């Protein structure tokens, strides 16, 4: 995780039982070369002492907005400017509400308003508080404002409940914080990404297709270019502008996408199949428009080639990543596809959740590898694409030494 090397992380700690994990988080951030300064809310100091976090961070802990002594040492605006990233962990429901509403009643919220750096928060709270519509509305506001949401995880909670709201583990938060700076992580790597739906012609005016918008594949292409990769995007018919510095190949049918994908394999390190390829196509394409003579009609269909499986079994096989959009048993179906299609990674998402469905702007996924799973919480497709590429880069370099 070189992305954290020499980075200045302003760690905000708010009041919740998970505040004790901030101590370990400081260590994990430092392990990767980050310089950490800590800001604590008043409630956080009820759970862990400033002295502990001062000793670990090696810097004085900031607690007050209106403390002349602290302001003289490093004023709040200076502190806001110092940060390369403001990371709030744990972020309580109260803090999320105050951040969402632009409040500036204490040092941490003031810093969040004043800073030009990115903000990432790791929520931690009781599952009922997390699920409450007010928290969910605040969460959506923060997502819309490009605040990165790290977690929360699901599981047993300090209060005895089981559900979503546990803070992610320190190592995962550090990895996701690194993902916020991942530019350059794919320097010189060649990526090919398929995106969007395919169209399978029935006759000259009709076709079979699906609702894929192509947004996830296009967001991945944008993020990959930002990370230093050279990117070819094989796009089905979508209404999206070509991201800057991306080579785009437009296709219509699965057959065309298949041909275009195979033609790229001589110069491809990582292949991501984000397209929603039609599984079947009409056995015959009528040369003329079909007339409605009968009450019933039947279209015979034949299977389309599985593009990602063909890529992953090719002699010039790149690092191969597929998507598994599922409505039930998401992870077990994803694992099945990882194996059957001979992939390195599969990115599973639950399309039964309307917030992250086919056409939505947000997504939440789990990256499934042979021996690990990494969950990435709901975020805009752009933000999620950055986090995803960081996880992909780690797996890619683990297999292909840099
Ligand atoms: O089997 P399923 O369609 O659910 O698998 C989804 C993954 O396989 C996606 O990565 C998709 O792009 C890819 N795929 C493909 N060619 C097909 C069908 C799916 O590349 N014909």
């Amino acid at each position: 995780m070189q992305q954290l090397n020499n980075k200045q992380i302003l760690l905000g700690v708010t009041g919740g039982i998970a505040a004790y994990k901030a101590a370990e988080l400081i260590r994990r951030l430092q392990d990767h070369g980050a310089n950490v300064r800590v800001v604590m809310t008043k409630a956080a100091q009820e759970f862990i002492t400033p002295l502990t976090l001062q000793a670990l961070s090696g810097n004085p802990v900031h607690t007050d907005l209106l403390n002349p002594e602290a302001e003289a040492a490093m004023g709040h605006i200076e502190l806001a400017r110092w940060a390369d990233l403001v990371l709030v962990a744990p972020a309580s429901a109260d803090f999320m509400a105050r951040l969402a509403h632009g409040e500036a009643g204490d040092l941490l919220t003031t810093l969040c308003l004043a800073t030009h750096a990115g903000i990432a928060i790791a929520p931690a709270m009781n599952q009922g508080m997390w699920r409450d519509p007010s928290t969910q509305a605040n969460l959506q506001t923060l997502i819309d404002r490009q605040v990165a949401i790290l977690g929360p995880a699901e599981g047993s909670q300090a209060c005895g409940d089981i559900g979503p709201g546990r803070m992610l583990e320190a190592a995962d938060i550090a990895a996701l914080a690194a993902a916020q700076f991942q530019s350059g992580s794919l320097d010189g790597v060649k990526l090919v990404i398929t995106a969007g739906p395919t169209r399978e012609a029935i006759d000259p005016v009709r076709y079979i297709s699906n609702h894929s918008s192509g947004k996830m594949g296009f967001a991945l292409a944008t993020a990959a270019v930002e990370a230093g990769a050279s990117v070819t995007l094989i796009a089905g018919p979508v209404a999206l502008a070509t991201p800057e510095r991306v080579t785009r190949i437009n296709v219509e049918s699965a057959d065309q996408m298949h041909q275009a994908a195979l033609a790229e394999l001589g110069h491809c390190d990582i292949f991501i199949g984000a397209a929603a390829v039609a599984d079947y196509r009409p056995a015959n394409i009528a040369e003329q428009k079909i007339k409605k003579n009968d009450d019933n009609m039947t279209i015979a269909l034949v299977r389309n080639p599985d593009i990602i499986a063909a890529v992953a079994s090719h002699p010039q096989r790149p690092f191969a990543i597929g998507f598994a959009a599922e409505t039930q048993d998401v992870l077990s179906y994803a694992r099945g596809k990882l194996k059957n299609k001979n992939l390195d990674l599969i990115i599973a998402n639950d399309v039964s959740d309307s917030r992250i469905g086919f056409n939505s702007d947000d997504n939440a996924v789990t990256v499934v590898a042979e021996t690990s799973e990494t969950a990435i919480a709901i975020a805009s497709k752009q933000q999620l694409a950055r986090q995803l590429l960081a996880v992909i880069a780690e797996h890619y370099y683990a297999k292909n030494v840099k």
Side-chain angles (χ1 to χ4, degrees), residues 273-275 277-279 305-308 322-323 337 341:
V277 184
D279 290 321
D306 191 314
I307 300 169
I308 191 89
F323 269 79
K337 284 178 190 172
K341 296 183 190 235

Side-chain angles (χ1 to χ4, degrees), residues 19-40:
Y20 77 92
K21 291 189 188 172
E24 198 202 335
L25 178 56
I26 292 172
R27 277 282 185 255
R28 296 291 80 80
L29 293 167
Q30 289 170 334
D31 286 347
H32 299 293
N35 187 358
V36 183
R37 279 181 179 269
V38 179
V39 176
M40 297 178 81

Side-chain angles (χ1 to χ4, degrees), residues 97 101 129 131-139:
H101 291 86
M129 293 172 76
R131 288 194 169 113
D132 189 273
S134 325
T135 305
Q136 290 299 310
N138 292 332
L139 173 68

Side-chain angles (χ1 to χ4, degrees), residues 172-341:
D172 293 335
I173 296 175
L176 292 172
Q180 315 301 313
F181 302 103
Q182 58 102 40
S183 183
S185 62
L186 289 172
D187 266 342
V189 175
K190 298 190 183 87
L191 250 95
V192 176
I193 302 172
T194 65
T198 63
R199 262 183 202 171
E200 311 301 328
I202 299 171
D203 68 16
V205 296
R206 302 182 180 94
Y207 55 81
I208 297 172
S209 191
N210 59 63
H211 288 297
S212 168
S213 63
K215 284 176 193 162
M216 194 65 236
F218 276 59
L220 281 166
T222 306
V225 164
E226 281 169 10
S230 49
V231 181
T232 300
L233 187 56
I234 303 175
V238 292
L240 295 173
T242 310
E244 277 180 39
R245 293 169 282 149
V246 166
T247 306
R248 176 172 181 169
I249 300 172
N250 286 324
V251 296
E252 293 244 327
S253 67
D255 256 337
Q256 290 170 356
M257 190 174 271
H258 184 217
Q259 294 312 319
L262 295 183
E264 289 300 313
L265 291 188
H267 32 89
C268 168
D269 301 311
I270 299 178
F271 188 99
I272 306 179
V277 184
D279 290 321
Y280 293 90
R281 66 177 182 278
N284 300 299
I285 305 174
E287 275 183 27
Q288 305 299 332
K289 185 180 171 194
I290 299 170
K291 296 293 173 199
K292 47 179 173 300
N293 295 325
D294 303 324
D295 283 347
N296 298 305
M297 78 169 286
T298 305
I299 300 172
L301 300 176
V302 291
R303 275 294 283 271
N304 268 330
D306 191 314
I307 300 169
I308 191 89
V311 165
S313 61
H314 197 273
Q316 290 172 300
R317 182 189 192 282
F319 190 79
I321 303 161
F323 269 79
E326 305 292 346
T327 54
Q328 55 177 352
D329 298 332
V330 178
L331 291 181
S332 75
Y333 279 119
R335 283 217 165 276
K337 284 178 190 172
L338 181 78
K339 200 159 182 288
N340 295 339
K341 296 183 190 235

